[in-house]
Amino acid sequence: MCRIAVAAYLGRARGVRVDPGRIVITQGFTQALHLLCHVLADRGATTIAMETPSHSDLRTTTRAAGLEPVGCLVDADGLRTTDLYALDASAVVVAPAHQFPTGVVLAPERRGALIGWAANRGALVIEDDYDAEFRYDRNAVGAVQGLDPGHVAHVGTASKTLAPGVRLGWISLPTDLIDDVRDLKGVTDSGSPIVDQLALAHLITSGAYERHVVRARHIYRRRRDRLVQALSTKLPRPQIMGKAAGMQVLLRLPDRLDDVAIARTAGRHRIGLRALSPLHLSPSPERGLLLGYGRLSEPRIDQAVDALAAVLNR
């Protein structure tokens, strides 16, 4: 029942081309990546490409599966797809809808180039549909999977739309991966919680899930607008990167600054943020701060930016 509901939702909201039989329910994105990487490794893969910068947990998961991650740079148009040909990777992990941490969106010509690379190399695109529902300046772009279901494993979760503690996700799989991923899922945990799946299926089929997403989108858009306005008012010429989407903004800093030290100092003043530089797969001069607003109410945003400005002015 859950797979039927998810398949209908993905086709309606994300342009994913999949039937329920090609969906595997997972316990979030991490397990989905774990399953895919182990199946690839069992088939002889040794290297996987991923965006740099990106979440460090991705690298931990791929290495635990026996795959060595290699970085592919991200610029203002997203993943630099031409660089993939020099990496000799069997797969790539990419977040086309809203890249973490830069906030960029994969440009249309690069979406086509990504599919072209996968088809030419017989490689797999692991599409992390990160923050796809939360685009504020326009309608969200469709999933890359819709361009080529045979070379893209589309991964989505309910963790961002409902709550981080809801460990439910899904993989829309190419046909040749279904049996291996399903078998590995079965021996890993004997299946995701049935009651949780039934609850999610009910939310989707009743329309409550999409109504909730619409309400949440309005809330996060107002918070982002308030944060950007506060940063523009209280900081001198702030460089706010990325599209109007998601639940965080990237504040670029001059390369000479130590963003790790700034984040550590901010933490001592009860300001939660992350430094950009550790998120690169290899050393980079880029410095910045990731400012999340998903759990920050609008009235507290100005106060938080005042505290951040005090730290930056030390």
Side-chain angles (χ1 to χ4, degrees):
M1 181 176 179
C2 187
R3 289 183 294 140
I4 294 172
V6 167
Y9 170 74
L10 293 176
R12 187 169 61 245
R14 302 296 303 125
V16 170
R17 295 158 54 195
V18 66
D19 61 75
R22 292 188 10 243
I23 290 178
V24 169
I25 301 298
T26 68
Q27 296 184 41
F29 178 81
T30 300
Q31 188 185 48
L33 182 61
H34 165 90
L35 295 172
L36 290 166
C37 288
H38 273 278
V39 167
L40 290 171
D42 288 345
R43 295 183 175 193
T46 59
T47 304
I48 186 168
M50 58 181 50
E51 298 165 316
T52 184
S54 60
H55 204 298
S56 56
D57 287 352
L58 303 182
R59 306 195 281 274
T60 302
T61 301
T62 56
R63 288 191 174 111
L67 299 182
E68 183 59 30
V70 291
C72 189
L73 286 173
V74 171
D75 61 23
D77 290 323
L79 183 77
R80 286 174 27 177
T81 48
T82 54
D83 294 352
L84 287 171
Y85 287 91
L87 298 181
D88 193 29
S90 300
V92 60
V93 184
V94 58
H98 188 231
Q99 201 271 339
F100 177 91
T102 65
V104 300
V105 175
L106 192 64
E109 61 274 12
R110 293 195 183 177
R111 291 162 65 91
L114 178 64
I115 293 300
W117 169 81
N120 289 336
R121 293 297 181 95
L124 178 69
V125 175
I126 300 174
E127 180 178 13
D128 179 4
D129 212 14
Y130 181 79
D131 279 348
E133 290 92 347
F134 298 127
R135 182 75 184 265
Y136 312 129
D137 57 344
R138 50 157 288 170
N139 291 332
V141 296
V144 168
Q145 190 268 4
L147 301 176
D148 187 353
H151 288 97
V152 181
H154 174 272
V155 183
T157 80
S159 298
K160 285 289 192 297
T161 50
L162 295 179
V166 179
R167 303 309 301 162
L168 276 182
W170 46 84
I171 319 173
S172 303
L173 289 161
T175 303
D176 68 310
L177 291 175
I178 296 171
D179 290 340
D180 287 350
V181 171
R182 186 180 293 147
D183 290 346
L184 182 57
K185 167 70 175 175
V187 300
T188 299
D189 63 8
S190 301
S192 298
I194 296 298
V195 174
D196 294 2
Q197 292 186 58
L198 290 174
L200 178 62
H202 174 72
L203 285 174
I204 292 173
T205 56
S206 68
Y209 184 81
E210 286 167 86
R211 290 194 295 272
H212 166 75
V213 169
V214 170
R215 287 194 298 269
R217 188 184 299 128
H218 289 314
I219 291 170
Y220 294 139
R221 181 178 60 194
R222 290 197 302 268
R223 291 179 183 175
R224 186 185 190 277
D225 290 346
R226 181 101 172 234
L227 176 59
V228 169
Q229 178 60 38
L231 290 170
S232 300
T233 301
K234 301 172 187 293
L235 296 181
R237 298 183 298 278
Q239 295 187 54
I240 301 168
M241 313 301 291
K243 299 295 185 181
M247 285 177 264
Q248 68 278 320
V249 299
L250 174 60
L251 178 65
R252 283 281 280 118
L253 299 175
D255 293 348
R256 68 180 184 278
L257 296 183
D258 186 343
D259 55 356
V260 174
I262 292 171
R264 190 179 301 119
T265 301
R268 289 198 294 267
H269 289 80
R270 303 175 61 83
I271 307 169
L273 46 79
R274 296 187 64 174
L276 172 65
S277 57
L279 301 178
H280 281 275
L281 193 59
S282 55
S284 168
E286 291 185 339
R287 299 291 182 264
L289 300 172
L290 269 172
L291 313 178
Y293 50 85
R295 294 185 295 174
L296 189 62
S297 64
E298 282 187 66
R300 294 179 57 204
I301 289 175
D302 290 338
Q303 179 184 356
V305 174
D306 282 338
L308 174 61
V311 170
L312 292 174
N313 290 329
R314 286 176 178 270

